[in-house]
């Protein structure tokens, strides 16, 4: 059996593999390590969609002449899933109420829904709730997905556009203890929410940039490796949330002003100035 990947001959020698499932299982580790996934097959020239892969796992390799394994990167699969989700949300938003249940059930069977549930579970869960008539509206969910699509399409540009918001959030962190002391609870809560949102976004962009070639081992902040810096950042973030919930204004102030605000600025600067 001749094996190719995306149309190019693959240097794969079969040994004890008896079925196509055996062959694909052997490729699983390599694919995950390279952040790729199987998107479909062509067996003896006939296309097999990803949704039908399990149907051909038991086929014996002795009866197959050629297999072309089509793979996509994680980013490509995520982008495709988001576009499918956008279309489903558009259909849902324009459909009469009596069609909503059918649309939701059809979405749950799609490969895009399975991918999001496994790889980006918070988005998968939010879409599910939207299609159940709960949580975000279809329009609000569409805006959230638009943001993720921008990140995947051009993470460097999305990072650049984030600069002014990073500066604003850092300033608000410095003002957080005063806001709590003067009873500005809604502003304080908004600051914590914005900080959490922008930090998560920075980490998402950082991951996407590593897929584009950024090597984390080459980065350091204040003599710390990027991995150690992020670990310390995460610890301080958890401490802030705990102190905020306990209304420990002194600890909130110290963490926000002297730990998290400067770390946020340093993290953003390090990522923005990196080569990738």
């Amino acid at each position: 059996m001749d094996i190719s990947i995306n149309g190019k001959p693959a240097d794969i020698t079969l040994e004890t593999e008896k079925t196509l499932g055996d062959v694909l299982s052997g490729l699983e580790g390599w694919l995950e390590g390279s952040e790729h996934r199987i998107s479909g097959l062509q067996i003896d020239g006939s296309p097999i969609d990803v949704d039908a892969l399990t149907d051909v796992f038991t086929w014996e390799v002795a009866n197959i002449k050629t297999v072309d394994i089509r793979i996509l990167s994680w980013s490509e699969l995520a982008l495709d899933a988001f576009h499918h989700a956008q279309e489903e949300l558009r259909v849902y938003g324009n459909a009469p109420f009596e069609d909503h249940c059918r649309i939701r059930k059809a979405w749950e069977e799609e490969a895009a829904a399975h991918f999001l549930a496994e790889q980006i579970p918070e988005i998968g869960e939010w879409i599910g709730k939207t299609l159940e008539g709960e949580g975000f509206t279809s329009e609000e969910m569409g805006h959230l997905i638009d943001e993720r699509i921008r990140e995947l399409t051009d993470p460097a540009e999305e990072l650049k556009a984030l600069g002014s918001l990073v500066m604003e959030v850092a300033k608000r962190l410095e003002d957080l203890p005063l806001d709590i002391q003067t009873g500005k609870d809604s502003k304080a809560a908004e600051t914590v929410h914005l900080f959490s949102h922008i930090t998560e976004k920075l980490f998402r962009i950082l991951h996407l940039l590593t897929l584009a070639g950024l090597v984390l081992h080459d980065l350091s902040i204040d003599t710390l490796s990027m991995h150690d810096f992020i670990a310390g950042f995460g610890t301080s973030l958890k401490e802030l949330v705990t102190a905020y919930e306990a209304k420990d204004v002194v600890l909130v102030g110290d963490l926000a002003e002297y730990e998290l605000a400067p770390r946020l600025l340093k993290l953003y600067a390090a990522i923005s100035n990196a080569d990738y």
Side-chain angles (χ1 to χ4, degrees):
M1 182 174 71
D2 295 327
I3 302 175
S4 58
I5 297 178
N6 289 348
K8 298 180 179 179
D11 186 17
I12 297 174
T13 302
L14 299 183
E15 297 177 349
T16 61
E17 294 84 355
K18 300 295 183 183
T19 67
L20 188 57
D22 295 335
V23 176
L24 297 179
S25 296
L27 289 171
E28 185 177 4
W30 174 80
L31 289 173
E32 290 183 357
S34 63
E35 293 285 352
H36 285 76
R37 302 289 189 278
I38 295 175
S39 63
L41 302 172
Q42 276 198 352
I43 300 177
D44 292 336
S46 299
I48 306 294
D49 192 74
V50 65
D51 293 326
L53 284 180
T54 55
D55 296 335
V56 301
F57 276 9
T58 59
W59 290 15
E60 295 185 4
V61 297
N63 299 325
I64 301 173
K65 294 181 179 179
T66 62
V67 173
D68 181 36
I69 303 170
R70 301 197 305 276
I71 64 173
L72 292 173
S73 69
W74 186 93
S75 296
E76 290 171 325
L77 287 168
L79 191 59
D80 184 63
F82 282 140
H83 283 306
H84 274 79
Q86 286 284 51
E87 177 61 19
E88 203 72 18
L89 290 165
R90 185 192 65 78
V91 171
Y92 178 87
N94 293 328
F97 177 78
E98 56 268 24
D99 288 345
H100 285 181
C101 182
R102 174 186 56 79
I103 294 170
R104 184 183 74 251
K105 290 182 177 179
W107 164 253
E108 290 171 351
E109 297 300 319
E110 288 194 24
H114 296 161
F115 176 87
L116 292 175
E118 177 186 344
Q119 298 293 322
I120 316 176
E122 73 277 12
I123 293 292
E125 181 180 352
W126 292 344
I127 293 173
K129 287 188 177 297
T130 296
L131 297 179
E132 291 174 355
E134 303 175 1
F136 298 111
T137 66
S138 57
E139 183 177 3
E140 291 169 338
M141 195 66 236
H143 291 320
L144 288 172
I145 294 177
D146 280 340
E147 180 183 10
R148 298 300 182 96
I149 288 175
R150 291 197 307 271
E151 292 172 3
L152 284 163
T153 303
D154 194 343
E157 183 61 30
E158 194 71 2
L159 177 69
K160 181 180 178 181
L162 206 58
S164 60
L165 185 56
V166 168
M167 296 293 293
E168 177 188 346
V169 171
K171 179 63 172 64
R172 289 184 62 145
L173 283 172
E174 295 172 355
D175 296 337
L176 184 59
L178 181 60
D179 290 336
I180 296 175
Q181 289 174 332
T182 55
K184 298 179 181 178
D185 294 339
S186 60
K187 183 181 178 182
E190 185 181 58
T191 296
V192 174
H193 174 75
L194 281 172
F195 174 64
S196 177
H197 172 76
I198 201 170
T199 302
E200 290 175 359
K201 185 177 178 72
L202 272 177
F203 288 159
R204 289 199 304 269
I205 291 175
L206 179 60
H207 173 68
L208 293 172
L209 290 176
T210 61
L211 297 181
L214 176 64
V215 180
L216 290 185
H217 295 300
D218 294 342
L219 296 181
S220 63
I221 303 176
D222 291 342
T223 72
L224 293 174
S225 70
M226 180 61 81
H227 290 291
D228 289 342
F229 182 87
I230 289 175
F233 194 110
T235 298
S236 295
L237 176 57
K238 291 178 182 178
E239 292 175 351
L240 174 70
V241 172
T242 300
Y244 177 76
E245 292 175 347
K247 298 189 182 301
D248 186 339
V249 179
V250 175
L251 183 55
V252 167
D254 287 344
L255 288 169
E257 183 174 0
Y258 301 113
E259 294 287 340
L260 294 171
R263 288 190 185 195
L264 175 63
L265 294 172
K266 290 176 181 179
L267 177 62
Y268 180 77
I271 301 173
S272 298
N273 296 326
D275 294 325
Y276 44 84

